[in-house]
Amino acid sequence: MTDGIWSAILGRFTWTALPFVRAWETPTISEIIGAGAASVVILGAILLATLLTVYRAWRPLWSEWLTSLDHKKIGIMYVVLAFVMLARAVIEAVLMRMQQASAIDTPGFIAPDHFAQLFSTHGSIMIFFMAMPFLTGIINYVMPLQIGSRDVAFPLLNSISLWLTGGAAGLMMVSLVIGRFSTGGWSGYPPYTELAFSPDVGPDYWIWAVTLGSIGSTLTGLNFAVTIYKMRCPGMTLMRMPLFVWTSLCTSILMIFAMPPLTVATALLALDRYLGFHLFTNDLGGNMMNYANLFWLFGHPEVYILILPAFGVYSEVVSTFSSKELYGYTSLVLATMAIAVLSFTVWVHHFFTMGQNADLNAVFGIATMTIGVPTGVKIYDWIWTMFRGEVRFTVPMLYSLAFMMTFVLGGFTGILLAFPPLDYLVHNTLFLVAHFHNMLIPGLLYGMLAATHYWFPKAFGFRLNEKWGRISFSCWVVGFYLAFMPLYVLGAAGAARRTQAFFEPAFRPWLYVAGIGALILLAALATLFVQLWVSIRERDANRVAAGDPWDGRGLEWSIAAPPPEYNFAVVPSVAGRDPFFDGKRSGAAYAAPARYGDIELPRNSATGPVIGIVGAATAFGLVWHIWWLAALGTLAVIVAVIARSFVRDVHRIVPAAQVERETERWLRTVSAARAIPREIETTPANQGLAQVPA
């Protein structure tokens, strides 16, 4: 009787689900590491709650941030989430490299099952809960400013998307504290994630975290696409949009069409596990290849969902810090669209080893090589943009240059892997691990870090510390080459990926070098946080309130730093691709509006936080078979949506007098600022007013 009540209340939960209990009962190094990780999560949550209480920040956090529908604040929260998840994923990567370096003819310090959880969480976090929030946050912040809009098309949907992603990330963090995570990798392949092989809660954590995140990303894609299509300011035709907006548009379209196959795949896998449907089993009519096709229908466009926004960032950075108009604008637009279309034609190259016929492999191999052509066009256009320009080697520009060199090397290995016979030999080796890190780290991470450094002054009104930025950049680049280039050699020598221990002594020196590289990457992450701390401490000396610290070209630089909540006092009208840059040269950049009007903005709403938190609770109930919690959570989501539909007072008015007062104050700041030449733009002399050459 007692067991039945306990099961009804807590589902599958038992005390051994807690890592502390497991570490007490079996005090191995592997279990102690797991308990330590759970302790960090718990202590971090307690410390955060304590600080918020001590500084009485709960109310302003809720009223000014968590319930905000301002696209800028939502973008910042996405980026904060990405950095938190990046910290966990990098630490897990270092643990894996240390384990492999120490496990040559010995077991090492991490058990095989724990190692499998590490590579599953590392991949899942990096793709779904670091990369996706990072790029979504940057687009959220920058894109509406670049098109002269006051907000995205659906501000409430924007908040819901953020909180679905945050709830999914929270579920990933909870898996550290209660239960275990999946051992089926970031792709969740059956049969490894079927009940017969993984009856525990790990795959269920993966399924519901990914499902919540994929729904959020689908809604985000719809929101961004409608915003770009319908909310551009007067005069901004499609071929006048900044390249970052073009890449954001193509990314949004990819989200709309690529994320649903993933949601379907995880939903069908859930039916297998919860209701015995046998869709992906090896018997009773199931076929695992259906899952592989569904997953990679998402998976390869996902690669370009990650890369295209970075391409847009590099276009903005290279043009700005070369003091030149972007070379080959039309070809860059066409290349972006070509990549978006071709990204849906190459998914089978992810399973060249799974038995389809040679003709099919040849078609997808050729398509894979073809997609390298528009990427090459972009590299050449950026090089020509820099040619004879006044190139300034700021931190964003350094990331852009490092990307070009490293991404080209990774692209060469991609062409090699497009040959099905060669791919067959190295697909399940560390060669492939080296290749996709060679594409994603410079392609996504460098791009987002460049974007953070580039637009941080706009978002917060002060520049990031240049010295620590260069130190972090150096660690990222050196650490990358040391951590991943040896994996090409190991993979070519036959070292299998996802391997907890090796038995070939010749691998030892390469694994040691890769381990050192992983530690340097950990230092790179640490120096990023040091840079942020130093920058905040020195913020008064590096303020750029005038709003244009880099001699920018687009509309985002034409307003104060940080921008007002309504973005523009008057919606701008443009007549070219670089409206602010041209306005500075003609003397019209800082003209006061002829008249001011009231501005309508959306009111804050708790709907997003409620749906995200309750959605995560519902998922947790499904993971642990706590059916009452899952039912209550589902009901609460429905009630929240219905209740929101009855709310009528959803807008507020910013009076024209307030807009005029704030705009005039900013224009006085601009008039008082000293225009500085590019040579000293990284010094405290930079107040956000760039000198216009004679």
Side-chain angles (χ1 to χ4, degrees):
M1 181 69 176
T2 304
D3 290 342
I5 295 173
W6 181 268
S7 177
I9 295 174
L10 296 180
R12 292 192 282 179
F13 176 80
T14 62
W15 291 114
T16 55
L18 300 175
F20 314 105
V21 175
R22 296 198 299 269
W24 177 266
E25 293 178 346
T26 311
T28 63
I29 295 177
S30 186
E31 291 291 357
I32 291 170
I33 289 173
S39 300
V40 169
V41 173
I42 294 171
L43 292 175
I46 293 172
L47 177 62
L48 178 61
T50 302
L51 291 174
L52 290 173
T53 303
V54 169
Y55 290 100
R56 300 181 180 179
W58 285 107
R59 185 182 296 276
L61 179 66
W62 176 260
S63 62
E64 297 176 20
W65 283 90
L66 301 184
T67 59
S68 175
L69 303 190
D70 183 348
H71 72 96
K72 300 182 291 298
K73 290 183 176 178
I74 289 175
I76 291 169
M77 287 188 283
Y78 265 118
V79 173
V80 170
L81 174 63
F83 271 109
V84 171
M85 302 309 285
L86 175 65
R88 176 181 168 184
V90 169
I91 292 170
E92 290 174 336
V94 171
L95 280 174
M96 286 190 287
R97 286 288 169 261
M98 294 301 102
Q99 161 63 24
Q100 289 179 327
S102 66
I104 303 168
D105 284 332
T106 61
F109 60 92
I110 295 178
D113 185 71
H114 190 182
F115 186 87
Q117 292 179 60
L118 285 175
F119 72 67
S120 299
T121 52
H122 172 77
S124 300
I125 286 172
M126 279 298 205
I127 298 295
F128 298 114
F129 305 113
M130 189 287 290
M132 291 298 287
F134 213 153
L135 69 90
T136 302
I138 297 296
I139 294 174
N140 236 313
Y141 195 98
V142 176
M143 178 268 291
L145 296 176
Q146 288 195 326
I147 64 173
S149 175
R150 298 208 189 282
D151 210 321
V152 295
F154 308 114
L156 178 61
L157 194 65
N158 204 16
S159 174
I160 293 171
S161 299
L162 166 69
W163 280 94
L164 286 174
T165 304
L171 205 61
M172 293 289 297
M173 300 303 284
V174 168
S175 71
L176 267 179
V177 181
I178 306 175
R180 302 173 187 265
F181 197 70
S182 173
T183 58
W186 82 277
S187 54
Y189 272 169
Y192 306 113
T193 51
E194 291 283 1
L195 273 179
F197 291 88
S198 296
D200 56 5
V201 298
D204 300 319
Y205 267 123
W206 183 86
I207 286 169
W208 299 116
V210 170
T211 299
L212 286 176
S214 65
I215 293 171
S217 294
T218 304
L219 299 177
T220 294
L222 289 165
N223 205 349
F224 287 168
V226 173
T227 301
I228 296 171
Y229 281 133
K230 305 297 289 184
M231 300 189 70
R232 302 190 307 277
C233 67
M236 184 166 285
T237 61
L238 289 175
M239 294 308 288
R240 286 178 178 171
M241 294 194 309
L243 243 298
F244 183 76
V245 177
W246 266 111
T247 58
S248 300
L249 175 60
C250 290
T251 298
S252 305
I253 294 170
L254 293 183
M255 285 181 179
I256 294 168
F257 290 101
M259 301 309 296
L262 174 64
T263 309
V264 170
T266 55
L268 296 181
L269 184 58
L271 290 176
D272 270 15
R273 290 184 59 84
Y274 285 79
L275 298 176
F277 268 43
H278 294 282
L279 295 163
F280 305 128
T281 59
N282 291 325
D283 56 1
L284 298 176
N287 188 341
M288 180 266 167
M289 287 304 299
N290 290 333
Y291 181 90
N293 277 285
L294 279 172
F295 184 86
W296 289 111
L297 271 173
F298 144 80
H300 200 82
E302 168 69 7
V303 172
Y304 292 98
I305 289 173
L306 304 181
I307 296 296
L308 284 177
F311 285 173
V313 171
Y314 295 132
S315 297
E316 301 291 332
V317 167
V318 168
S319 176
T320 297
F321 292 111
S322 297
S323 303
K324 278 182 64 180
E325 182 180 357
L326 193 61
Y327 180 89
Y329 174 91
T330 302
S331 65
L332 284 166
V333 170
L334 294 174
T336 301
M337 291 191 289
I339 289 171
V341 173
L342 289 171
S343 71
F344 285 99
T345 68
V346 296
W347 80 90
V348 172
H349 78 219
H350 288 278
F351 42 94
F352 276 160
T353 60
M354 291 188 182
Q356 57 273 7
N357 65 51
D359 292 341
L360 187 66
N361 281 354
V363 168
F364 282 89
I366 292 168
T368 302
M369 297 178 202
T370 303
I371 205 168
V373 175
T375 305
V377 168
K378 288 178 173 287
I379 297 290
Y380 279 112
D381 281 341
W382 293 325
I383 291 172
W384 280 109
T385 301
M386 290 185 288
F387 182 65
R388 291 185 176 176
E390 297 179 27
V391 178
R392 294 112 72 195
F393 295 103
T394 59
V395 172
M397 192 65 172
L398 290 174
Y399 277 114
S400 302
L401 294 171
F403 153 78
M404 291 182 210
M405 296 294 295
T406 312
F407 196 81
V408 167
L409 292 174
F412 285 147
T413 62
I415 297 299
L416 293 176
L417 291 169
F419 288 91
L422 181 59
D423 181 85
Y424 193 88
L425 294 175
V426 299
H427 186 85
N428 286 310
T429 73
L430 289 173
F431 190 96
L432 190 71
V433 175
H435 163 71
F436 66 69
H437 284 86
N438 205 160
M439 305 304 285
L440 288 181
I441 290 181
L444 180 279
L445 187 59
Y446 289 4
M448 295 303 101
L449 291 176
T452 302
H453 285 81
Y454 183 58
W455 281 301
F456 187 95
K458 175 56 59 178
F460 296 100
F462 60 93
R463 291 179 294 102
L464 285 170
N465 183 275
E466 189 78 7
K467 174 187 171 183
W468 279 101
R470 291 174 183 271
I471 292 172
S472 185
F473 161 79
S474 301
C475 290
W476 282 115
V477 173
V478 172
F480 167 82
Y481 278 102
L482 290 177
F484 295 106
M485 290 303 164
L487 303 192
Y488 282 120
V489 179
L490 288 166
R497 58 178 172 151
R498 309 188 185 104
T499 300
Q500 179 255 0
F502 293 100
F503 303 96
E504 175 54 65
F507 294 166
R508 190 185 307 273
W510 299 104
L511 290 170
Y512 284 172
V513 173
I516 293 170
L519 291 173
I520 296 174
L521 289 175
L522 184 61
L525 176 68
T527 53
L528 275 181
F529 290 107
V530 171
Q531 180 196 25
L532 180 61
W533 178 74
V534 171
S535 301
I536 293 173
R537 187 185 64 187
E538 299 174 348
R539 61 189 180 277
D540 290 335
N542 293 298
R543 293 201 181 276
V544 289
D548 181 30
W550 313 125
D551 192 18
R553 310 181 75 86
L555 291 175
E556 75 269 31
W557 303 109
S558 67
I559 53 180
E565 57 182 343
Y566 44 81
N567 293 348
F568 302 93
V570 175
V571 173
S573 180
V574 303
R577 289 178 187 157
D578 297 315
F580 181 55
F581 190 83
D582 295 338
K584 287 185 288 187
R585 270 70 189 160
S586 66
Y590 297 108
R595 57 182 299 275
Y596 297 89
D598 294 343
I599 296 175
E600 184 179 82
L601 294 176
R603 287 188 182 276
N604 289 8
S605 172
T607 304
V610 168
I611 288 177
I613 294 169
V614 172
T618 303
F620 183 81
L622 290 170
V623 168
W624 287 96
H625 294 183
I626 305 174
W627 304 121
W628 64 267
L629 179 59
L632 280 179
T634 303
L635 180 63
V637 170
I638 295 171
V639 169
V641 173
I642 294 174
R644 172 65 187 187
S645 70
F646 283 95
V647 176
R648 290 293 177 264
D649 186 18
V650 295
H651 293 98
R652 60 189 177 85
I653 300 298
V654 180
Q658 178 183 337
V659 176
E660 181 177 10
R661 185 168 60 252
E662 293 173 351
T663 304
E664 294 297 326
R665 182 167 62 245
W666 168 63
L667 289 175
R668 288 194 297 272
T669 300
V670 172
S671 299
R674 180 169 70 92
I676 55 99
R678 300 183 183 98
E679 292 78 11
I680 58 172
E681 64 186 350
T682 60
T683 69
N686 188 350
Q687 298 175 300
L689 184 64
Q691 187 180 83
V692 178

